[in-house]
Amino acid sequence: MPAQPKNIEPDVVELGPALSALADPHRRRVIRDLVHDADGSERSCTSFGLDLSKSTRSHHFKVLREAGLVRQVDHGNWSGVTLRRAELNQQLPGLLDLIGSEPAD
């Protein structure tokens, strides 16, 4: 069975929803980790080392997806996430550099 994208992310990344999503330190950590993954490869949603329940983790990824920061794809029993790097660099230049320069937790 082919991978199925979750709810389609918005075409345009708006500053308000992006900043609101990034206000949470767990979500900012996910984006920071993805910024540092230079190859842009897809990662499992469980690979970020977030010490959170599955439902809370799912909520955080939903917020990131709906804000247009990540693309999430279902692969049956796991979900993969990638950073929408090109869209973010085009629509919100400098944001990923700023997040990437934050110290790790």
Side-chain angles (χ1 to χ4, degrees):
M1 175 182 241
Q4 296 295 317
K6 288 249 185 190
N7 302 328
I8 302 299
E9 65 273 348
D11 291 330
V12 176
V13 181
E14 295 182 14
L15 183 60
L19 292 180
S20 180
L22 293 169
D24 182 89
H26 296 295
R27 294 191 290 259
R28 211 167 42 254
R29 177 182 175 184
V30 168
I31 298 301
R32 186 175 53 245
D33 287 356
L34 289 170
V35 166
H36 291 290
D37 288 347
D39 65 355
S41 60
E42 183 176 85
R43 287 183 56 178
S44 163
C45 291
T46 60
S47 71
F48 292 94
L50 300 174
D51 190 22
L52 303 168
S53 69
K54 182 178 178 181
S55 62
T56 301
R57 206 171 40 242
S58 293
H59 166 75
H60 285 303
F61 282 101
K62 178 183 177 192
V63 171
L64 290 170
R65 187 177 65 249
E66 288 179 349
L69 300 173
V70 299
R71 182 169 289 115
Q72 191 172 340
V73 178
D74 279 337
H75 296 283
N77 61 350
W78 68 281
S79 292
V81 64
T82 55
L83 184 64
R84 294 183 65 203
R85 190 179 303 266
E87 294 94 335
L88 290 167
N89 283 333
Q90 179 184 24
Q91 296 174 26
L92 300 173
L95 180 65
L96 295 181
D97 292 334
L98 182 63
I99 296 167
S101 68
E102 282 189 331
D105 299 335

